[in-house]
Structures are given as C-alpha cells and as structure tokens.
Amino acid sequence: MSLDIEQDPYVKALAESHPTLSDLTYLKRVKLSRKTYCQDQLKNLDTRAQTVEKELGSWGTYWYIIACIRKLQLGIRNGSAGLELLNDAEKTYLERCLSNLLSCISDEAVPGLNSECLSTKVLRLIDFLVAEQMPEFTGGLIFVRTRAEVAVLSEILSTHPSVKGFYTVSTFVGESSSAKRKTNIAELVDVRSQVTTLDDLRFGRKNLVVTTSALEEGIDVSACNVVVCFDKPPNLKSLIQRRGRARKSESKFALMLADHDDPSTISTWHELEVAMRKLYEDDMRGLRNLEALETIDEGEGEGEFIVERTGARLHLSDAVSHLYHFCATLPTSRLLNLAPIFTFTDTSQGVGQRAITAKVVLPISVDISVREAYGRSAWVTEKNAKRDAAFEAYKQLYNAGLISDNLLAIQGGDEAKPDVNTQKVGKMPSLVQVAGQLKPWHLVARQWQGIKDVSSLHGYVVRLQRDGETVVTMQMLVPCCLPVICLPITLFWDASTTFTASVCPSSSSPSKLLDHAVQSTELLLSSIFRSRMDAGRSDHVVLFAPAGVEHRTAWAEDFSGTIKGHKLRQIDLASLSLSKLGILHDLTRGGVPHLIRGFQKGSWDPNSSEPQDGPDGLFLQVSRFPRRTDFLHPVATVVERSAHEANKILLRPEDCEIDRLPLPYSYFAAMVPSVLHLVGVRLTATFLCDTLLAPLAFSQLELVITAITTTSAQEPTNYQRQEYLGDSVLKFLTSLTLMSERLRWHEGILSSAKDHIVSNASLARAALETGLDTFIRTKPFTGSKWRPLYVSDQLTSTAGEPREMSTKTLADVVEALVGAAFLDGGFDKAIIALQIFLPRVSWSRLDDRDKILLSAYNISIIYPPHFIQLEQLIGYQFNHKALPLEALTHPSYIGANASASYERLEFLGDVCLDIVVSSASFAHQPPISTHGLHLIRTAVVNANFLAFLCLSLSMSVPRANIITKGKNNISSHEATIPRQIWQFMRQTAPAVRIAQRDCLGRYEALKLPILESLQQGSHIPWSLLARLDAPKFFSDIIESLIGAIYIDSHGSLALCEDFLETLGLMGYLRRLLEGGVALYHPKEELGQLADTESVKYEVFREEDGQGVWEERRLGCTVWVGDREVARVGDGFCVVEVETRAAEEAVGILKGERRGRVFAVEGPGLTGYGTSPK
C-alpha cells in the first residue's frame, strides 16, 4: 500500500503553519526521512507482522493485523487510554489507512488454523505440548522474543484443537509503556489485564503462560513442569535464569533449534552447563567446609562483661550486633558508610591449625583513642575472631563513657551515666498549673506589722506634671525601701492629654507626716474611689500626704467634705479659679462625677433641654470625669467630639455638690492605681533580685522586669526580645560546656545532650523548681477592679490564685533572664544565671572552658603546605595547626593525620555563628521586633546560604603551566587559578567527589542571579538557593572553621566575626538589618495570604519526551483550599520546587488581591517592624 507523505497530519501541520526558511528546511528533511508519528506506527506494524509471518506462519499474520486494526477502531470510538493523546487528524489518518488495508482482506483470504498456515516451529511446539498432557502437569512457561509473538502464539494455543482442551493460556510482558505515552497501534497485550496472571498460574486457574524475558528474573513464579525456549536464549545468563524456572521434580526444560542451526550449539550449551555445575559444586563444597569450621565449639573464654550497678551483661555472641547498633547511632549521611570494618590475620604456624585474630576499626566520628580494637585471643574461625574484636571494642567504648550502664549507646540525655551531669527530663504537658502571681504589696504590708519606730518609715516624693508644669506634689509613706522611678512615667489621660509622674526618695523626715497621712489618704482616695473603700478602715499599705503644706491638719479640714451646688450663686464667679474647685457630682444620677468646664446664665424651663434667656439663672457647664482607671495604656484613637459638644452637659447648681478637694488632687488620686501598679512591678522584680537572683547582683532592674513580663500582661515591654538573645547565649554556653567536658563525645551525643539541656521541658522544670513561676507576670493591668490597698487584706496571701501557664512560657522566661544577665554583665553573669536554674550542669567560666578545648589541640602534626593558602583565603593564621586540619576533614576521609572529622568543630561553630548573628541583630538601632530577629537569623544562618558563601569565597593562586615544543624544547609560564575553601576539604569517598562536581555545576549556573539578588534584590533568593541544593558538607566546613578559629583564638568571637566579614555574611546581615528586603520565606508568606484556607504542596516527577520518568526532574503543584493556584517544574529537589511554587502562588494571589489591604505589622512584607518603645 502506497502512502502519500503529503497527506500525513504532521507534514500538513508544518506546511500550514507559515514556516520560516529554517522551518522549510526541517519540513523537507521530514518528508525525505518519513519520520512522523503516523509513519512510524505503520512501519512498526509492518515490521512486527513480518516477524510474526516468519516465526508463526501466515494465519498468525492475518490474525495479528486484523486484531491491531480493530483495536484501534474500537479505541477511537470509546476514547481508550493513550488515544486521547492523539490529535483528531492523527486518529482520522491512521483509521483511514488501516481501514483501507482491512477492506483488502476478504474473509476468503484468511486461512484456517491448519498445518499449512502455521510455521513448522509452531507445529513442533504443539506436538511437544500434546505429549505433555498428563494429569501431573501443573504449569508451564513459553519464552518468545517479541510482544507481538506473545499475543499471536497465545491465541494459536488457545484455539488450536489439539491443545485448547487441556491448556488454559495467559500472557505476561514487561511494563515498558506508560499511560501518558501515545498509543502504539502494533501493541496487542494490555499490561493491565495481566495483573492476576501469576496468581492464576499459582492457584491453577491458568496452566500455561506465554511471555517475553520479563519472567526470567525478579518476579516470584511458581515452579513449573515445563519451560520452553521458543528461540535460543540470547546469553548464558538467560539460559540459567530460564532453566531455574523449571525446578519442579521431573520437570522439563526444552530448547527449540532449527534444523539448520550449528550442531555445536547444543554441545556448547551442554559444556557451559557442566562447567557451571562444577563451579557451583566447588563453591558449595568450600562453603560446607567453612560452615563446618564455623560450627566448631571453641568456647567463649572470658566472653562476658557485667556492669555491677545495673546488672547489664554483654556476651561474646552479642558483641557484633551491639557494635553495629552503636555505629548506627553515629551522625549519618547518605554519603557515608558507618559500618565497623573488620580485618583478620591468620597467625597459624603449623599445617592444619588455624589461629585467626581480628581487628576492628570504627568510623572517624569515634574518638581516636577508642577507634581501633583488637581481639584478645586467636580463634579457629573468623566468626569468633570477629566477636572477640567487637567485644573488646565495646568494652573500650563503655570505659570511654560512650556506652551507658545499660550497655546501650548514650544519647546525651537520660541514657547518660550519672557523671554526665544531665538529668532525666520527661515530657511535660503543654499547659501546667503554676503558682499564682506574686502580690508585691504583701511584702510592704508585712513591714507595717513589724514597725516599732516611726523613724524607720521611708518617704518618697510623687510628682505629677503636665506639659512640664507641676500639677501636684505628694509625699508617699511606706514602712520599707521601695524601688524608685525617677524616670518620667507617661500617663494617658485621654487621646490628646498626657501627664507624667515620678517617684523619688524624699529628703524630709517621713515621721512628721504619719499623723496626718492617714486622714489625707482617706480624703484623697475617697474623691475618686468612694464606692470602693471600706467604711471604718484606715490600715492603708501606702499613705499619702500633700507636700509643701505647713499646716496639714488644716489642709485636711479645709478640703474635707463637699459644697452644695446652690452656694455657687453666692460666690463671685468672675474671680473664681476652676482649678480651685473639686469634682462635681450629679445628684440626679447617683453622684456621677464630672469636671466643671464653665458657667452659663439663663432661666430654667423644665420642658426644654436648653436654658432660656434670663438674668437670674445659673447653669454649670460640665464634662464627664473619665471612667477609666488605667492610664498606663494609650487611649484608642476615636473621632473626637468638638469642644462645644464635649462641654454641652448643663446642670443646675441645686442638682449638684462639689468636692472641696481641689481638682489637681483628684487627678492625682485617679492616677494612684497606675502609679502603684508600676511601683508594684518594680517591687516584684526587686524581691526576685534579692532572693532567687541575688548571686547575679543586677544593676539594671528594667532588664529583670522585661524578662518576667509576658505578652499577655500587655506592658510596654515583654520578654520576647531578651528570650531571643538568651536562647542563643544558652545554646552557646551549653555547647561549650559539653565540648570541653566530654572530649570523647562525638557530635551526635553532643547535639542530643545540648537539646536535652536547653529543651522547654528542662527549662520549664527549672522555673518550677526554683519558684520562678510566681514572679512571672501574665495578668494585664486594667484598673477596673482596683481597690485601695489595706494591710489586713494584703496579709491574707502572698500570691493570687494558682493559674495555668504554658511550658513554653516558663522556658522562655528562663531564657529571657539568661539574656538579661548577659546584657547586664556578659557571659560571666549569664553563667551565674545558668548555675541558678540548671545547677546539675557543671557550669564554669568561659576562660576555663576555652583552655580545656585548646589543650586538646596542643599536638604536633604534619601540616600540609597548601593549607597556608587556606589561611590567606580566610584571613586568619592558626597557631594550632591541628585545628584547620580537623575542620576540613570529611567523615569519609581515610588517610594521614585522620585524628577526627570536622563534626565536633562544626557543632561548636554552629553556636558561635548563632551568637554572633543574634548579638549583632539584637543591638541594631532602632530595635527590631522579635519576629524580625528570627526571620533575619533564619536567612543568614542557613545551610544553602552558607554553602553559597563557601563556594564563592576564592583567591587566585599561582600555577606553572608546562609547554612542550619539540623533544628538547620545554618551557613554562606562570598562570593563576581560583582556589576556594571547599577544595581544601580532605575526603576519600567517590560519592563526595561526585556531589562536589554536581554542585559546582549548579553553582556556576546560578552564581550571577544569586549574587545580584543578594546585593540588590528586594527579596531573599530562597528558591535560587534551594535550587543550588548544596550538600551539607559545604556549610558544615564553614561552621567548623568558625569553631576552629574560636578555639585557636582563646575564645574570641570578634575574630570569628572577622572571618564572617571576609566571607560576606556580615555585609549581607547589615543589608537585612537596614530594611528594604522582604524577609518572609515564600511558604510562610503564602500561609499568611491563604489566611484560614489550607495550603497543600503536591510534588511529582516529570517525564521526558518519551514518557519516561526523570530521576532528577521534579515538579510541584500548590493548592490553596480546593483551588490549584500554581504549578512549576524542572526542579532538582523537593525544597526547591515547593519554594518556587510558593513564590509563584504568592505572586498570583497578590495580583488578584491588588488594591485590597493585607495588614502586616511594621513595614509590611518587606520589613520586620520595630519593637515597642
């Protein structure tokens, strides 16, 4: 059948697409090669039909072609899988071509299923199968070459009268096609229909399977009676595998060969089989000899180790498994093999005698002093020699403190030995019941009980000011010393009016004021809090008296009581100062307090709300006295009424009474709760400093106040920023203590022990055990429930009712106090704070710890000459050369000077980096909010960012290039090559070298866009850094070098910071601190934009053009709620595609919501806000 290439759908599409000159060239090439999908499919059908004709006969060819055509026609009508990927033109063209072919095949042309239309090969196979029709037959396999032959031969055997009554035939082929690939019209076997084929064979529902090489290996197939190779096996491996399927007793394995095949072929198969059997028997004989040796009972000698304290036992027979388990607990990586390495030495001296000893070498993470161990005895078998070496190694590990008394690998926590100085801290619930909040005035009330001499009273001057002018000055009397507040306290009267107050020691004798202070206090407080005072009680905790008043008795008498409103008609109002008047009480409304704003004359008309014109009427123009009693917090901004509206209330004098106490004193009285609250806060902090925190001798009380104040207290400051700093200080000091105390601990134990000590459970328990919980301030001050402080009331309890508090809050306050101690006195005070809260850990001065660590590296080594270039590159010259060598030794390294890998130094460098970044961020002015601090730290203390810096820092080093010009003409010239930090890393694992090479390729492709973003971009290049997908060792060696510099410089964080400056990290940190760079990670930002809707990421593997899944090409779809928002592909790792998908989704959602307000505290998504002032 001749096909016109011009009618091919692909050729027509190219011709009709307005092709360019290059497109026309491509079109011409396509026509000449006839390489289109449709042409390929038709050629493929023709090729397979010819193969079927040759191997199986003409009947098979007709049946195959007709079946393929009808399958295509049915698939087009039903829209079957695979065909939906064809366009309509391709479907139409293929169906037309094949329908024309089908019309050429008449029913008379199709031969019957007889010997004339079957190949000789098929007939011989049928004869063989007829001979095998016996009751004991349970199953057989027939191997053919192609999938087309599978389909056709199975059809022949299912319909041929000689065998169809005995054999039930099924098929099985490999799953080489994909549901997402265009259909192959020459494919008849549906892999979905063969799901049950093997079970059918196993349970007798089918007894003969026609298959390709797919069933040679890797699939569990029941043992068969008969296995037939319809064609010669392609190689010895296939022969062996196929023969292995015929493993039932009395089974047959048949090879079908043509008469014209070389007779020597059969001999060759026989010879190969004999040789194979001999090799197998020799191996089995040797294996039996070894098994016999291994079963020799040699005894175990001193093969048991017992820990007396726990009774734990280690037997020689268990030592190997214990040692492997210990190695499995070491810090791991996909690039490392952590199994112990055993080597054996045969020390036999006589013939027939075996004396084998063993040596075991543990991974480089294990301290060098216990890294190797030797068996104590010689053994006949390697098995026992291995046990002996493992037994000795495990005892060494126990004696070195790396194995617990339960003979398990320690994890740095509760499994550790008693001398590890860490306690068992079980899990704690998220909420725990704690003591009630301390009542600070209880402490003052107790002092009143014990006072015997009025000379022991303490006096303070409380001054209230407005706009720099003193409103009123009062004396405050208490029986003990109070913390002063000389700095102005801002008191918010209303949205536009503020007062300031201060509390300072008085120079006058308070004893002279005592007689009049009780009466003055009653008068003062009753002006505002009359309804809250208890009649007949005068035992006030705090007493007040007017300052600068000579005759205090007369003052109290003059200003006691009220003036009836009608008496105002008898006063010359023109000469009356409103400030001399007190609060006005509206008697028609139960004495509601008001402020007098002025007077208005007129006549009273009960039927009108306004005064009428008249010469004799007098009205009071008043405004409501503020109801609020909390003047510490700003008033929420509201639309202010005009002055006219605010003073619009008019009252008749006869309906009012006016306090004799002048208004400034009432102002003061209203603000007494707020002032006493602040004094009480300072009392609480002072009491804490005098008791639990006494060893710290705080010089800045405000630091303690901030540290014990939670966000729920709604104070101007809270613990969050100090907790951020204290967290870094705690981790730094903990890591340094563990490093210096446990010189043999590997990084895994150190990390676990650190996490154990600094965990929320550990710190929360410390807060409870020390009684810190009662000092933590959680209740906001509102003033609404304030009552005058009476001594008898305050003595009833020292604290409020027990309360619930989160474990995290308890832990955060401890960290905030550590941060406060650090701010007040550096690391020395922070260590004292840790001694208070975590006394079970052996805290000591930083200098002592630094000396211990430095002494461990005071060893002589052979220093590689090229490491001098490393020192030039990082800008630091090491005094102890073992440090940089260890800092750049990968755990895979096997070679000279392999005392340890970089893991311990990386553990220390991690916290050094953290404290440098945290301190610099915390000190920035203006102060950065806590959330902003965390975002910035995440951005720079980031493995991918550190890896990028590691790859970027380089220097040019000279190299001589040799040039050969003829036999005796050799010259050289100087050139330079770049040298980077990672190139100094010592490693011996091929996998590490491959990872370096692959990452370097990605770095070269991403370097410029990442640099541009870091230097000028408005966002952190999260997705680009994720695409870099740098192996962890790149960032690890940066941190290990920081740790090495810290130890070598006797604990200088400043020199560590210099290295970070050289690296470029500090410069980028400053750029982030200055603002203008969006700090949020795209996934976090997307979560905020999604609001209450869920966000889901679906990662998938991409296909290549042929429908094959790509190992290193990932894609991601991001869903917000039930909606697919974004989809990305061409990714290297899961983190990258998720980050890119989030970035794209953020852009889409922002575009959709443009013009709507998305509120974020501070400068929005491109900033971090500022802390409260």
Side-chain angles (χ1 to χ4, degrees):
M1 181 174 60
S2 177
L3 297 176
D4 183 3
I5 190 63
E6 298 290 346
Q7 299 303 313
D8 188 282
Y10 185 61
V11 172
K12 291 176 69 175
L14 287 176
E16 295 169 0
S17 63
H18 305 289
T20 63
L21 182 60
S22 60
D23 293 335
L24 290 172
T25 303
Y26 175 69
L27 176 60
K28 183 177 181 181
R29 191 163 61 247
V30 169
K31 289 180 180 180
L32 290 174
S33 65
R34 303 181 76 89
K35 289 289 291 183
T36 70
Y37 169 73
C38 291
Q39 300 300 317
D40 287 346
Q41 289 297 301
L42 295 171
K43 291 175 187 174
N44 191 21
L45 177 63
D46 179 62
T47 300
R48 295 194 182 191
Q50 292 183 38
T51 300
V52 170
E53 170 80 24
K54 177 182 177 182
E55 296 293 329
L56 305 178
S58 59
W59 184 91
T61 306
Y62 279 104
W63 180 88
Y64 175 67
I65 293 174
I66 294 170
C68 287
I69 295 173
R70 288 177 177 168
K71 180 185 176 186
L72 176 66
Q73 293 172 333
L74 181 63
I76 292 174
R77 286 197 298 272
N78 298 337
S80 65
L83 289 177
E84 72 273 9
L85 299 178
L86 296 176
N87 59 46
D88 291 339
E90 289 174 327
K91 292 178 185 177
T92 303
Y93 180 77
L94 286 173
E95 185 177 23
R96 184 175 67 250
C97 292
L98 294 176
S99 296
N100 292 337
L101 176 62
L102 187 61
S103 64
C104 298
I105 305 175
S106 61
D107 292 339
E108 294 77 15
V110 179
L113 189 60
N114 51 54
S115 57
E116 286 78 15
C117 62
L118 294 177
S119 69
T120 304
K121 202 173 185 180
V122 171
L123 295 174
R124 296 293 179 268
L125 174 63
I126 292 173
D127 292 343
F128 176 78
L129 293 176
V130 168
E132 296 299 318
Q133 295 181 14
M134 294 177 288
E136 59 268 22
F137 183 89
T138 58
L141 297 176
I142 300 176
F143 286 98
V144 297
R145 275 202 318 268
T146 66
R147 299 160 75 92
E149 291 175 76
V150 168
V152 177
L153 185 58
S154 65
E155 179 66 19
I156 292 173
L157 298 179
S158 298
T159 55
H160 197 282
S162 300
V163 291
K164 70 176 183 178
F166 184 81
Y167 296 103
T168 52
V169 186
S170 61
T171 62
F172 193 94
V173 296
E175 299 183 13
S176 62
S177 61
S178 166
K180 292 186 179 287
R181 182 191 293 180
K182 288 185 179 181
T183 189
N184 184 344
I185 65 172
E187 179 67 67
L188 283 182
V189 180
D190 186 354
V191 294
R192 292 172 295 182
S193 66
Q194 65 187 33
V195 173
T196 62
T197 295
L198 299 182
D199 283 340
D200 290 344
L201 180 65
R202 187 177 295 111
F203 297 113
R205 294 188 290 269
K206 303 283 185 181
N207 61 9
L208 189 63
V209 177
V210 182
T211 181
T212 60
S213 58
L215 284 185
E216 284 184 352
E217 60 178 331
I219 299 176
D220 182 24
V221 180
S222 299
C224 300
N225 298 90
V226 171
V227 173
V228 178
C229 292
F230 195 71
D231 303 286
K232 290 186 295 184
N235 49 52
L236 178 60
K237 177 184 175 183
S238 291
L239 174 68
I240 296 170
Q241 289 171 337
R242 293 180 182 185
R243 176 148 189 175
R245 296 303 190 191
R247 57 180 182 270
K248 267 201 170 184
S249 177
E250 304 297 326
S251 62
K252 292 183 179 178
F253 178 69
L255 287 171
M256 298 192 70
L257 301 174
D259 293 335
H260 56 76
D261 281 341
D262 187 353
S264 63
T265 302
I266 300 177
S267 301
T268 302
W269 290 124
H270 282 302
E271 291 170 3
L272 288 173
E273 183 178 3
V274 170
M276 179 181 67
R277 181 177 297 159
K278 183 177 185 303
L279 289 172
Y280 172 77
E281 291 174 349
D282 290 344
D283 287 344
M284 290 301 296
R285 192 178 302 110
L287 182 60
R288 285 193 293 271
N289 292 336
L290 289 175
E291 288 177 347
L293 287 172
E294 295 296 332
T295 57
I296 295 175
D297 184 9
E298 299 182 81
E300 295 191 357
E302 299 178 8
E304 187 175 63
F305 175 71
I306 303 174
V307 180
E308 293 184 3
R309 196 174 74 86
T310 61
R313 298 170 180 265
L314 175 68
H315 296 278
L316 196 68
S317 57
D318 302 328
V320 174
S321 61
H322 275 64
L323 193 61
Y324 271 89
H325 178 266
F326 168 80
C327 291
T329 65
L330 298 174
T332 186
S333 163
R334 62 184 179 85
L335 302 176
L336 298 177
N337 179 11
L338 295 178
I341 300 173
F342 291 89
T343 56
F344 302 94
T345 304
D346 190 345
T347 60
S348 306
Q349 296 182 351
V351 178
Q353 296 180 350
R354 285 168 59 91
I356 298 175
T357 59
K359 168 189 173 183
V360 62
V361 179
L362 303 181
I364 196 173
S365 300
V366 180
D367 187 75
I368 192 171
S369 64
V370 290
R371 194 177 301 157
E372 295 182 358
Y374 295 84
R376 297 182 62 185
S377 306
W379 303 82
V380 175
T381 64
E382 289 185 356
K383 179 179 70 176
N384 281 334
K386 182 177 182 180
R387 290 175 174 176
D388 189 11
F391 185 78
E392 295 301 318
Y394 212 73
K395 287 197 299 181
Q396 282 185 183
L397 294 172
Y398 173 81
N399 294 328
L402 300 176
I403 300 295
S404 72
D405 282 341
N406 294 316
L407 292 179
L408 297 173
I410 66 170
Q411 299 298 316
D414 52 303
E415 301 94 344
K417 293 184 179 181
D419 62 343
V420 170
N421 296 318
T422 59
Q423 60 168 333
K424 181 174 182 177
V425 179
K427 291 183 178 179
M428 293 185 69
S430 58
L431 287 175
V432 293
Q433 191 170 52
V434 302
Q437 190 167 309
L438 180 72
K439 293 181 176 179
W441 294 106
H442 167 85
L443 307 171
V444 181
R446 276 193 322 191
Q447 297 295 322
W448 277 114
Q449 277 193 322
I451 193 167
K452 296 179 180 179
D453 185 359
V454 293
S455 63
S456 61
L457 290 175
H458 294 261
Y460 296 87
V461 175
V462 184
R463 184 171 284 106
L464 185 66
Q465 293 182 313
R466 178 182 176 184
D467 298 330
E469 298 291 332
T470 299
V471 176
V472 68
T473 303
M474 300 293 290
Q475 292 275 2
M476 184 171 70
L477 278 69
V478 288
C480 59
C481 182
L482 294 180
V484 296
I485 315 177
C486 291
L487 293 175
I489 304 168
T490 301
L491 301 168
F492 302 91
W493 181 257
D494 56 32
S496 59
T497 307
T498 59
F499 290 84
T500 59
S502 60
V503 181
C504 299
S506 173
S507 59
S508 60
S509 174
S511 60
K512 297 178 181 180
L513 304 175
L514 183 60
D515 294 338
H516 313 289
V518 174
Q519 186 180 2
S520 300
T521 303
E522 289 282 318
L523 175 61
L524 193 71
L525 297 180
S526 63
S527 69
I528 301 296
F529 305 106
R530 185 181 306 170
S531 62
R532 304 184 187 185
M533 298 180 69
D534 296 339
R537 298 184 66 179
S538 60
D539 58 332
H540 295 280
V541 175
V542 181
L543 299 174
F544 295 97
V549 177
E550 294 184 8
H551 305 291
R552 292 180 177 83
T553 302
W555 180 88
E557 292 174 354
D558 291 344
F559 295 139
S560 296
T562 60
I563 302 172
K564 297 301 180 180
H566 66 85
K567 290 187 177 182
L568 289 175
R569 299 181 185 275
Q570 306 167 11
I571 301 174
D572 181 9
L573 299 179
S575 61
L576 180 64
S577 173
L578 294 180
S579 65
K580 299 293 184 181
L581 298 176
I583 292 177
L584 179 146
H585 297 275
D586 182 359
L587 299 179
T588 64
R589 300 179 62 189
V592 174
H594 291 76
L595 296 172
I596 300 174
R597 297 298 185 183
F599 304 98
Q600 186 172 334
K601 290 191 175 183
S603 62
W604 178 258
D605 181 358
N607 298 319
S608 174
S609 59
E610 296 289 340
Q612 305 299 312
D613 292 336
D616 299 328
L618 175 68
F619 296 92
L620 301 177
Q621 201 173 47
V622 300
S623 62
R624 180 69 184 269
F625 193 87
R627 299 176 183 178
R628 56 196 297 265
T629 50
D630 169 21
F631 299 101
L632 295 175
H633 298 95
V635 180
T637 303
V638 295
V639 178
E640 294 289 339
R641 293 181 297 172
S642 67
H644 173 73
E645 292 174 334
N647 299 328
K648 197 173 184 179
I649 301 174
L650 296 175
L651 298 175
R652 294 191 309 166
E654 289 76 12
D655 295 334
C656 309
E657 63 180 18
I658 303 167
D659 288 343
R660 292 180 180 273
L661 185 69
L663 188 59
Y665 291 106
S666 296
Y667 281 143
F668 179 85
M671 296 180 185
V672 162
S674 298
V675 173
L676 291 185
H677 170 73
L678 291 182
V679 175
V681 169
R682 298 180 76 84
L683 268 173
T684 300
T686 301
F687 185 54
L688 176 60
C689 289
D690 292 342
T691 53
L692 178 61
L693 304 182
L696 286 165
F698 269 104
S699 62
Q700 303 176 69
L701 188 64
E702 296 299 331
L703 293 173
V704 179
I705 293 173
T706 298
I708 61 175
T709 304
T710 65
T711 54
S712 62
Q714 299 178 18
E715 296 290 353
T717 62
N718 59 64
Y719 66 66
Q720 288 186 323
R721 273 175 46 88
Q722 286 182 196
E723 179 272 330
Y724 164 84
L725 182 61
D727 174 72
S728 291
V729 172
L730 171 61
K731 289 176 179 175
F732 173 73
L733 293 175
T734 301
S735 299
L736 198 62
T737 298
L738 291 170
M739 276 274 291
S740 58
E741 272 210 335
R742 302 299 166 193
L743 297 174
R744 287 179 171 175
W745 277 8
H746 58 74
E747 183 268 337
I749 306 178
L750 291 171
S751 293
S752 180
K754 181 193 74 174
D755 294 343
H756 175 85
I757 293 171
V758 306
S759 68
N760 282 346
S762 172
L763 299 178
R765 195 175 299 278
L768 294 173
E769 289 177 351
T770 56
L772 176 64
D773 51 327
T774 192
F775 294 96
I776 300 175
R777 300 173 50 244
T778 57
K779 296 180 180 178
F781 171 75
T782 63
S784 60
K785 297 183 179 180
W786 187 86
R787 296 289 184 272
L789 305 175
Y790 295 108
V791 171
S792 54
D793 291 343
Q794 294 298 314
L795 290 175
T796 57
S797 63
T798 61
E801 294 296 320
R803 51 195 168 150
E804 278 195 335
M805 189 177 295
S806 71
T807 305
K808 185 178 186 307
T809 297
L810 289 166
D812 285 350
V813 172
V814 173
E815 291 181 324
L817 284 169
V818 173
F822 176 74
L823 292 171
D824 196 56
F827 286 116
D828 288 341
K829 273 199 176 181
I831 290 170
I832 296 173
L834 294 177
Q835 289 170 341
I836 293 171
F837 292 109
L838 299 170
R840 295 176 180 85
V841 181
S842 300
W843 306 104
S844 61
R845 295 182 71 252
L846 229 56
D847 288 347
D848 298 333
R849 296 297 179 191
D850 296 338
K851 289 176 183 176
I852 293 172
L853 287 175
L854 192 60
S855 65
Y857 293 94
N858 192 18
I859 56 177
S860 60
I861 62 162
I862 301 174
Y863 197 54
H866 67 279
F867 266 54
I868 296 173
Q869 295 175 352
L870 169 71
E871 296 178 347
Q872 296 171 350
L873 177 60
I874 66 175
Y876 181 83
Q877 185 174 353
F878 286 94
N879 298 304
H880 298 76
K881 303 301 186 183
L883 280 163
L885 208 60
E886 181 175 316
L888 288 162
T889 299
H890 189 267
S892 68
Y893 178 71
I894 301 172
N897 293 327
S899 59
S901 69
Y902 59 59
E903 292 166 312
R904 276 176 57 91
L905 289 175
E906 179 264 328
F907 170 78
L908 178 60
D910 176 68
V911 292
C912 291
L913 171 62
D914 188 78
I915 192 67
V916 168
V917 171
S918 298
S919 298
S921 303
F922 185 89
H924 185 267
Q925 293 297 328
I928 298 171
S929 68
T930 309
H931 186 52
L933 291 172
H934 284 288
L935 290 174
I936 290 172
R937 183 166 63 185
T938 300
V940 294
V941 185
N942 173 288
N944 279 324
F945 178 59
L946 292 176
F948 179 77
L949 297 180
C950 177
L951 287 158
S952 299
L953 183 64
S954 66
M955 62 180 290
S956 295
V957 297
R959 184 178 71 174
N961 287 338
I962 307 299
I963 301 174
T964 304
K965 299 179 180 179
K967 184 175 181 181
N968 298 315
N969 188 2
I970 299 175
S971 62
S972 66
H973 76 278
E974 290 292 326
T976 59
I977 58 171
R979 189 82 171 178
Q980 294 147 331
I981 293 177
W982 64 270
Q983 293 173 313
F984 292 91
M985 187 178 77
R986 304 191 302 167
Q987 50 78 26
T988 53
V992 174
R993 290 193 290 274
I994 293 171
Q996 287 176 328
R997 180 200 65 198
D998 293 346
C999 183
L1000 186 61
R1002 295 191 295 273
Y1003 167 77
E1004 291 298 336
L1006 297 169
K1007 175 173 61 175
L1008 292 180
I1010 292 177
L1011 276 175
E1012 182 179 358
S1013 179
L1014 293 177
Q1015 294 169 0
Q1016 304 173 12
S1018 60
H1019 291 71
I1020 296 170
W1022 292 110
S1023 60
L1024 291 173
L1025 290 171
R1027 189 173 181 83
L1028 183 62
D1029 192 24
K1032 186 173 179 291
F1033 57 73
F1034 283 102
S1035 60
D1036 284 349
I1037 59 177
I1038 294 296
E1039 292 178 332
S1040 63
L1041 280 170
I1042 296 171
I1045 292 172
Y1046 178 84
I1047 295 175
D1048 190 69
S1049 63
H1050 301 269
S1052 173
L1053 287 172
L1055 289 175
C1056 295
E1057 186 173 339
D1058 288 345
F1059 168 54
L1060 294 174
E1061 193 72 60
T1062 301
L1063 199 62
L1065 184 144
M1066 298 305 295
Y1068 189 59
L1069 174 61
R1070 284 191 294 273
R1071 182 163 187 258
L1072 296 182
L1073 292 172
E1074 290 164 3
V1077 178
L1079 299 174
Y1080 287 108
H1081 190 281
K1083 296 179 77 171
E1084 183 179 0
E1085 189 173 353
L1086 179 59
Q1088 292 183 347
L1089 285 170
D1091 197 14
T1092 58
E1093 292 186 288
S1094 63
V1095 178
K1096 182 174 66 174
Y1097 298 88
E1098 292 182 352
V1099 178
F1100 55 86
R1101 293 201 180 279
E1102 292 190 307
E1103 291 181 348
D1104 65 4
Q1106 303 300 317
V1108 176
W1109 299 115
E1110 288 279 2
E1111 288 297 321
R1112 290 286 291 172
R1113 287 290 182 270
L1114 300 177
C1116 179
T1117 304
V1118 61
W1119 297 76
V1120 176
D1122 297 328
R1123 172 192 170 198
E1124 180 183 325
V1125 177
R1127 184 183 181 93
V1128 300
D1130 191 32
F1132 284 107
C1133 63
V1134 172
V1135 174
E1136 178 217 342
V1137 291
E1138 288 186 348
T1139 304
R1140 285 172 48 215
E1143 273 185 351
E1144 195 157 312
V1146 166
I1148 292 171
L1149 293 183
K1150 280 186 174 180
E1152 292 174 350
R1153 303 178 187 187
R1154 190 167 288 119
R1156 295 170 55 187
V1157 177
F1158 179 62
V1160 177
E1161 292 296 325
L1165 292 177
T1166 59
Y1168 35 74
T1170 56
S1171 66
K1173 297 290 180 70

